[in-house]
């Protein structure tokens, strides 16, 4: 037996059949989303009725059910969201997986009995972030997919009481979850709201902006699928409590196949079969059922070129052979695996530039020769009514294995779906004699009603009233919330007759009366719940209000703050000359960082002008990187950070800390929580409209809130480096590429939009939005809301920094003086190449 606990196996379920597949194949728990507030908006949502059925299926086999309640929630949505969560709790869920920090707090207040898990979209990836989760009372947190084994070890050792969960199989996001804003900025389909447009699955061109040279092309940020089976033992030994399979949009056959495989490997570890990696034969069903190509992820360290699909973003299937000839409309294949009627086959040209892949379903097959590992077959493949052909030399991939699909379906065929869940038992007692009415007493829990017949009982001339007839008529409860229990007839004389219509009337009358009484109870329960929700949503802790009220809103030189975020000293000087009230230096966003001596000189230079200097930290600081930040923290500068753990750590120690937009402040309760953690001010989410920003800041009348009104947002934060991959160099050892040879590169999508790629101090890529946000037209409305902090960001070369800062400063000066601001100049300076962001586009 293993000397360490074997983790829980958590399987995805987007349908009832997927729930059946998971429980039949060894899952300890399933996670699923209902029709509202979950991060899968299409094709993976269960109705409330189906949710009840799913819980019944799972609980009958000792399997837990976790609800994905993992989107950011706007202020006006909070009451509805909490009411809906209550309905899900009523159906039997065991825990909720939550992204929104404010919602975590509200759940703990409204539904204190419900277990709360922190979603991977919280971007918890280090010790300080894990400590915040523990402080908030979150029972378990799903770590970032980018964490290595050493990262997990550090978190586990320093926050031992927090249960950890990590992904082991399925699709990977290229960006740190919770930090992907590209989809929303491009299409209004926010990844943080469950509507990701999968921008990462497009094909891109990597270009050197200085020379115009194409450095790479293809699906450059489309990840392969995670398959971490080789790391299971190491992960288990670290004390991780739960292993998660991605795939709520996948078919139940996928869920069955993957769950079965991981169940087998984990059971082997539990039996003491350690030190053994799965064989290729054991892994093959996982490749066959769905695969973009597999990667072990980053458990063993940062992955390079092989982390990405490069040539295609979808299921590739299992490579099994070659087209060796054509016989009319049939194909002659040399194969390592025999194919059968019903299999899906794809044909890829021998070279990437020789045409797109084609495919279809095998409709006829004839075997010419057969020996283990070598088959020669003649097949007819059709795509609908059309026969598919392929050139000689084409590679054959099996995209679907009919036998595997059949066995997967068979594995859960015996798991029943309950017809009705949550029905109440009705017991009936019957009394009566000839000439009198039939009296029925109906019992449902504590509720009892009596219903008397209107037609007298008469001696029977043919069939007399008996138990069989009573159960048949009283048991017709379809369409109601009841099922028939015991029928007692000891008080009913024998040999009597009553029309069937009268029995039906008695049943209908009884169920209506009981429904009415149950409704009174439900209305009372709902009223109590709604009152509690209203109370909690409407209450902001006094500590949060007081801490924000104590914050100096601006500085000594202006009734507002115009903070300009820059990544080098020269840009800082330009921003200061344009009228910035504070410079925020981000020395990490691009290689190389300026020397500390230049930063201290800049601080002193700015101070002489009455301008402050603030340090912007990376949003991602994995455990091994923390020590490298020490010298920067040693400068004693105030901080701007999108890293929740750092915000709590330094804010809690009394430092001047502004929480950046990456903390995803979407509602007033998240804002209150950050104030309680110690931040002095906070930048609202960039995914809120101007009106929604007003709802967010209303409890504080705007005080201590700031908004990004100019600049290119970081659309993705990527552990993968597209530049090193282009040259097939080992990540983190190739800084000559980004520092010397290709200092300014970009990715261009099929629509022609170009995204600057900033390679940061830890060799991550930060994809910057194709156009800057220019929101001067919304500044007057923000000013009316009481907001006095405004951020501008300059992170690409070539912007007219001084002129743009001066234009925003002039607009703010005008508002402070009570005059109408000039909102047109910034747009004129940009020649129309800007976006209004989400100020007028809701996600």
């Amino acid at each position: 037996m293993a000397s360490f606990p074997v983790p829980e196996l958590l399987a995805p379920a987007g349908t009832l059949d997927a729930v059946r597949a998971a429980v039949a194949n060894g899952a300890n728990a399933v996670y699923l989303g209902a029709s509202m507030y979950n991060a899968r908006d299409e094709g993976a949502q269960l109705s409330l009725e189906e949710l009840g059925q799913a819980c019944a299926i799972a609980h009958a086999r000792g399997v837990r059910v976790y609800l994905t309640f993992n989107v950011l929630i706007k202020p006006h949505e909070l009451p509805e969201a909490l009411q809906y969560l209550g309905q899900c709790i009523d159906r039997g869920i065991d825990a909720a997986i939550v992204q929104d920090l404010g919602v975590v707090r509200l759940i703990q207040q409204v539904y204190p009995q419900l277990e709360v898990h922190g979603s991977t979209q919280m971007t918890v990836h280090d010790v300080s972030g894990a400590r915040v989760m523990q402080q908030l009372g979150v029972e378990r947190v799903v770590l970032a997919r980018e964490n290595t084994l050493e990262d997990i070890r550090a978190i586990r050792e320093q926050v031992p009481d927090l249960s950890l969960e990590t992904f082991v199989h399925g699709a990977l996001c290229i960006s740190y979850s919770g930090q992907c804003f590209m989809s929303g900025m491009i299409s209004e389909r926010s990844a943080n709201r469950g509507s990701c447009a999968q921008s990462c699955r497009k094909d891109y061109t990597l270009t050197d902006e200085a020379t115009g040279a194409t450095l790479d092309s293809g699906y450059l940020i489309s990840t392969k699928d995670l398959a971490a089976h080789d790391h299971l033992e190491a992960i288990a030994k670290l004390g991780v409590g739960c292993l998660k399979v991605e795939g709520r949009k996948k078919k139940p056959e996928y869920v069955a196949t993957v769950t079965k495989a991981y169940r087998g490997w984990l059971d082997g570890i539990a039996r003491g079969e350690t030190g053994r990696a799965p064989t290729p034969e054991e892994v093959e069903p996982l490749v066959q059922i769905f695969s973009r190509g597999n990667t072990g992820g980053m458990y063993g360290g940062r992955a390079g070129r092989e982390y990405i699909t490069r040539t295609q973003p979808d299921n590739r299937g299992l490579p099994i052979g070659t087209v060796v000839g054509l016989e009319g409309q049939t194909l002659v294949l040399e194969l390592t695996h025999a194919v059968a009627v019903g299999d899906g086959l794809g044909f890829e040209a021998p070279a990437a530039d020789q045409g797109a892949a084609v495919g279809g379903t095998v409709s006829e097959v004839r075997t010419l020769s057969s020996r283990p590992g070598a088959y020669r077959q003649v097949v007819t493949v059709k795509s609908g009514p059309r026969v598919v052909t392929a050139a000689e030399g084409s590679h054959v991939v099996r995209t679907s294995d009919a036998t595997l699909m059949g066995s997967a379906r068979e594995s859960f065929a015996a798991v029943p779906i309950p017809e009705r869940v949550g029905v109440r038992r009705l017991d009936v007692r019957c009394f009566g004699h000839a000439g009198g009415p039939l009296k029925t007493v109906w019992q449902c829990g504590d509720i009892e009603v009596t219903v008397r017949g209107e037609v007298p009982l008469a001696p029977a001339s043919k069939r007399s009233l008996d138990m069989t007839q009573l159960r048949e008529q009283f048991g017709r409860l379809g369409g109601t919330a009841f099922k028939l229990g015991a029928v007692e007839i000891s008080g009913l004389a024998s040999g009597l007759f009553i029309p069937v219509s009268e029995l039906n009337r008695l049943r209908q009358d009884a169920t209506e009366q009981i429904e009415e009484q149950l409704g009174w109870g439900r209305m009372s329960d709902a009223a109590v719940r709604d009152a509690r929700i209203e109370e909690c949503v409407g209450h902001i802790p006094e500590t949060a209000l007081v801490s924000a009220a104590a914050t100096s809103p601006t500085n000594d030189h202006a009734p507002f703050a115009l903070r300009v975020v820059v990544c080098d000293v020269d840009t800082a000087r330009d921003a200061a000359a344009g009228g910035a009230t504070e410079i925020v230096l981000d020395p990490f966003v691009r290689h190389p960082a300026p020397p500390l001596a230049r930063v201290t000189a800049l601080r002193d230079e700015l101070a002489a002008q009455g301008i402050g200097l603030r340090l912007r930290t990376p949003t991602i600081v994995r455990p091994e990187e923390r020590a490298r930040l020490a010298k920067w923290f040693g400068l004693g500068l105030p901080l701007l950070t999108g890293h929740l753990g750092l915000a709590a750590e330094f804010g809690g120690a009394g430092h001047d800390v502004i929480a950046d937009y990456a903390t995803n402040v979407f509602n007033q309760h998240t804002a209150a929580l950050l104030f309680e953690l110690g931040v002095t001010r906070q930048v609202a989410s960039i995914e809120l409209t101007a009106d929604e920003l007003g709802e967010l800041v209303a409890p504080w009348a705007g005080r201590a809130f700031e908004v990004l009104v100019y600049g290119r947002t970081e659309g993705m934060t990527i552990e993968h480096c597209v530049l090193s991959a282009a040259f097939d160099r080992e990540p983190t050892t190739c800084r000559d590429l980004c520092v010397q040879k290709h200092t300014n590169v970009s990715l261009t999508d099929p629509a022609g939009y170009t995204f600057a790629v900033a390679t940061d101090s830890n060799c991550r890529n930060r994809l910057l939005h194709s156009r800057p946000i220019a929101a001067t037209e919304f500044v007057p409305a923000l000013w009316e809301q009481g907001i006095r902090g405004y951020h501008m960001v300059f992170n690409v070369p070539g912007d007219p920094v001084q002129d743009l800062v001066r234009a925003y400063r002039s607009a703010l000066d005008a508002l402070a003086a009570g005059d109408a601001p000039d909102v047109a100049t910034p747009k004129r300076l940009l020649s129309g190449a800007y976006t209004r962001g989400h100020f007028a586009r809701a996600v």
Side-chain angles (χ1 to χ4, degrees):
M1 298 293 289
S3 59
F4 47 86
V6 173
E8 173 183 275
L9 179 59
L10 176 59
T15 63
L16 286 179
D17 279 346
V19 177
R20 298 166 66 211
V23 302
N25 285 279
N28 302 114
V30 296
Y31 67 102
L32 44 77
S35 55
M36 299 174 71
Y37 302 107
N38 89 92
R40 288 289 184 273
D41 65 342
E42 296 174 0
Q45 299 177 328
L46 277 68
S47 67
L48 286 173
E49 180 180 355
E50 289 172 328
L51 178 61
Q53 291 173 299
C55 290
I57 293 168
H59 292 160
R61 289 156 182 80
V63 173
R64 304 186 80 208
V65 177
Y66 306 150
L67 179 78
T68 54
F69 201 63
N70 54 341
V71 296
L72 299 178
I73 297 180
K74 299 175 182 181
H76 68 271
E77 296 171 335
L78 289 169
E80 178 191 61
L82 290 167
Q83 289 161 357
Y84 190 75
L85 177 60
Q87 295 179 64
C88 295
I89 293 171
D90 293 343
R91 267 67 179 182
I93 63 170
D94 299 290
I97 305 171
V98 183
Q99 175 186 9
D100 194 301
L101 291 169
V103 172
V104 170
R105 175 67 58 83
L106 287 169
I107 291 173
Q108 291 167 338
Q109 294 170 345
V110 178
Y111 307 112
Q113 78 282 8
L114 183 65
E115 189 175 312
V116 176
H117 299 174
S119 168
T120 190
Q121 290 170 279
M122 285 185 171
T123 326
V124 175
H125 62 280
D126 72 338
V127 173
S128 62
R131 283 183 175 142
V132 174
M133 295 299 104
Q134 185 179 48
Q135 180 180 342
L136 296 181
V138 171
E139 285 89 348
R140 176 191 290 177
V141 67
V142 187
L143 294 175
R145 295 173 175 91
E146 292 80 358
N147 278 128
T148 66
L149 292 172
E150 288 307 309
D151 294 341
I152 297 171
R153 186 188 313 280
I155 296 168
R156 180 67 178 162
E157 288 177 351
Q158 297 187 55
V159 195
D161 296 331
L162 178 66
S163 177
L164 302 181
E165 179 178 313
T166 189
F167 282 92
V168 292
H169 197 89
L172 286 165
C173 293
I174 187 67
S175 174
Y176 275 85
S177 289
Q179 302 305 311
C180 183
F181 304 101
M182 183 180 286
S183 175
M185 288 295 286
I186 293 172
S187 66
E188 302 165 29
R189 293 180 57 183
S190 168
N192 286 320
R193 295 274 289 169
S195 300
C196 180
Q198 295 196 317
S199 305
C200 56
R201 300 297 181 191
K202 297 179 181 179
D203 58 316
Y204 289 88
T205 300
L206 179 67
T207 304
D208 186 315
E209 288 291 314
T211 66
T214 296
L215 305 178
D216 203 359
S217 62
Y219 297 93
L220 303 182
I221 55 173
S222 173
T223 57
K224 292 181 178 178
D225 287 346
L226 177 63
H229 38 70
D230 289 350
H231 299 289
L232 294 183
E233 182 182 340
I235 296 170
K237 284 181 177 178
L238 290 176
V240 171
C242 180
L243 305 183
K244 187 171 190 174
V245 174
E246 184 279 336
R248 282 195 288 135
K249 284 193 171 183
K250 296 292 198 304
K251 295 179 179 179
E253 293 87 350
Y254 171 91
V255 175
T257 302
V258 177
T259 302
K260 179 181 178 180
Y262 280 87
R263 178 76 276 152
W265 292 325
L266 289 174
D267 287 349
I269 292 172
R271 292 190 298 267
E273 298 172 8
T274 57
R276 183 185 79 86
T279 65
E281 291 73 23
E282 290 175 316
V283 173
E284 189 174 288
L286 303 185
V287 179
Q288 182 64 82
I289 200 70
F290 188 95
S291 174
R292 296 180 176 93
N294 283 344
T295 171
M298 297 196 181
Y299 287 109
R302 182 173 294 187
R305 184 181 177 92
E306 295 306 310
Y307 191 65
I308 299 300
T309 62
R310 298 192 64 81
T311 58
Q312 55 85 34
D314 300 314
N315 181 34
R316 181 163 186 261
L318 182 71
I320 60 171
T322 307
V323 178
V324 295
L326 285 77
E327 294 182 359
Q329 290 189 314
T330 63
L331 301 173
V332 183
L333 311 180
E334 291 281 2
L335 305 170
T336 57
H337 298 64
V339 299
V341 171
D343 285 356
L345 294 185
F347 303 96
E348 300 172 349
D353 60 354
Q354 293 181 352
V358 296
T361 303
V362 176
S363 61
E364 297 179 21
V365 60
R366 177 165 52 92
T367 301
L368 301 178
S369 63
S370 171
R371 66 179 189 273
Y375 303 87
R376 189 178 184 91
Q377 293 182 296
V378 180
V379 302
T380 301
V381 178
K382 290 186 175 182
S383 177
R386 182 178 59 85
V387 175
V388 175
T389 61
E392 190 171 331
S394 295
H395 304 298
V396 182
V397 293
R398 187 167 59 192
T399 56
S400 177
D401 182 339
T403 302
L404 178 63
M405 294 289 282
S407 62
R409 284 190 290 270
E410 182 63 28
S411 71
F412 60 86
V415 179
I417 298 178
E419 289 187 11
R420 293 190 295 164
V421 175
V423 295
R424 296 173 179 267
R425 171 173 167 155
L426 281 183
D427 296 324
V428 191
R429 302 194 307 276
C430 300
F431 306 89
H433 53 81
L438 175 62
K439 173 184 173 183
T440 57
V441 179
W442 302 74
Q443 187 86 30
C444 179
D446 295 332
I447 298 174
E448 183 177 285
V449 299
T450 299
V451 182
R452 288 179 170 81
E454 297 176 351
V455 177
L457 289 162
S461 60
K462 294 182 180 179
R463 181 184 178 184
S464 62
L465 189 61
D466 59 9
M467 177 67 78
T468 300
Q469 187 180 26
L470 287 168
R471 291 202 67 86
E472 179 182 353
Q473 299 306 317
F474 288 165
R476 295 186 174 183
L477 294 166
T480 74
F482 305 105
K483 62 181 179 181
L484 186 63
V487 178
E488 170 62 51
I489 59 172
S490 60
L492 180 65
S494 60
L496 300 175
F497 168 80
I498 193 170
V500 168
S501 60
E502 183 69 358
L503 294 176
N504 291 338
R505 189 195 65 77
L506 290 166
R507 182 195 68 241
Q508 184 175 350
D509 192 354
T511 54
E512 288 177 352
Q513 289 188 46
I514 294 172
E515 273 283 11
E516 183 177 11
Q517 293 192 41
L518 287 171
W520 298 336
R522 282 194 296 266
M523 288 176 60
S524 175
D525 292 342
V528 170
R529 178 179 283 178
D530 289 350
R532 179 61 177 160
I533 289 171
E534 182 179 3
E535 176 188 3
C536 291
V537 170
H539 174 70
I540 302 297
E542 189 67 25
T543 50
L545 296 171
V546 169
S547 61
T551 297
S552 174
T554 56
N555 61 23
D556 296 332
H557 305 283
F560 53 81
L562 180 58
R563 307 187 202 279
V564 181
V565 182
V566 300
C567 53
D568 62 73
V569 171
D570 291 337
T571 307
R573 292 193 175 105
D574 285 343
T581 65
E582 183 177 79
I583 300 299
V584 183
L585 179 65
D586 185 347
F588 311 105
V589 72
R590 290 182 181 272
H591 282 323
L596 249 60
R598 291 197 69 192
V599 176
T600 54
L602 176 66
R603 177 190 61 193
D604 296 342
E605 178 185 330
L606 293 172
Q609 303 172 52
I611 300 172
L613 180 64
R614 184 177 295 269
L615 181 72
R616 183 178 191 256
T617 79
T619 299
I620 306 299
V621 184
R622 287 179 33 230
E624 65 180 29
E625 299 160 1
R626 178 59 188 270
R628 296 200 288 271
L629 288 180
K631 65 179 182 180
W632 294 98
F633 292 145
L635 294 174
L637 296 173
L639 301 179
L640 171 67
T641 184
H643 186 302
L644 179 65
L646 292 180
E649 180 179 339
F650 284 87
H655 295 268
D656 178 2
V657 177
I658 300 177
D660 207 354
Y661 66 82
T663 54
N664 288 323
V665 177
F666 235 65
N667 58 64
Q668 66 272 32
H669 290 276
T670 301
L673 194 150
L674 284 173
F675 283 132
E676 291 182 67
L677 291 176
V679 305
T680 51
R681 289 173 291 280
Q682 47 191 290
V683 184
S685 169
I686 58 172
E687 296 191 313
L688 293 174
T689 67
D691 290 341
E692 290 163 352
L693 286 166
E695 295 177 20
L696 166 66
V697 306
W700 295 269
R703 189 182 182 93
F705 284 88
E706 311 202 340
V707 178
L708 191 155
V709 291
Y710 176 84
R712 289 170 175 82
T713 53
E714 295 178 11
M716 294 186 184
T717 300
I718 301 175
E719 200 72 30
H720 175 71
C721 176
V722 295
L723 189 55
S724 69
F727 291 89
D728 201 11
R729 297 279 294 276
E730 184 180 345
T732 75
T733 65
C734 54
R735 294 188 177 183
D736 59 301
L737 291 175
C738 57
V739 175
Q740 300 170 12
K741 299 175 182 176
H742 306 287
T743 58
N744 185 11
V745 300
S746 64
L747 287 173
T748 303
D749 72 9
Y753 289 101
T754 295
F755 305 88
V757 180
T759 302
D760 73 13
S761 58
N762 285 300
C763 299
R764 292 185 191 93
N765 285 172
R766 305 192 204 178
L767 266 58
L768 310 179
H769 193 58
S770 57
R771 293 184 174 186
I773 293 171
T776 44
E777 67 188 271
F778 299 99
V779 170
L782 300 174
W783 186 276
E784 283 294 314
Q785 293 165 2
I787 295 171
R788 295 294 183 268
Y790 301 91
H791 284 225
M792 302 180 72
V793 177
F794 295 94
N795 46 24
V796 298
D799 278 346
V801 176
Q802 191 171 146
D803 291 341
L804 282 165
V805 174
R806 184 175 293 114
Y808 273 85
R809 176 62 190 259
S810 296
L812 291 170
D813 283 338
L815 286 166
D819 298 330
D822 171 13
V823 299
T825 296
K827 297 176 182 179
R828 188 168 59 250
L829 290 168
L830 295 167
S831 302
Y834 65 88
T835 174
R836 299 194 300 168
H838 289 289
F839 286 98
R841 294 186 298 127
V843 297

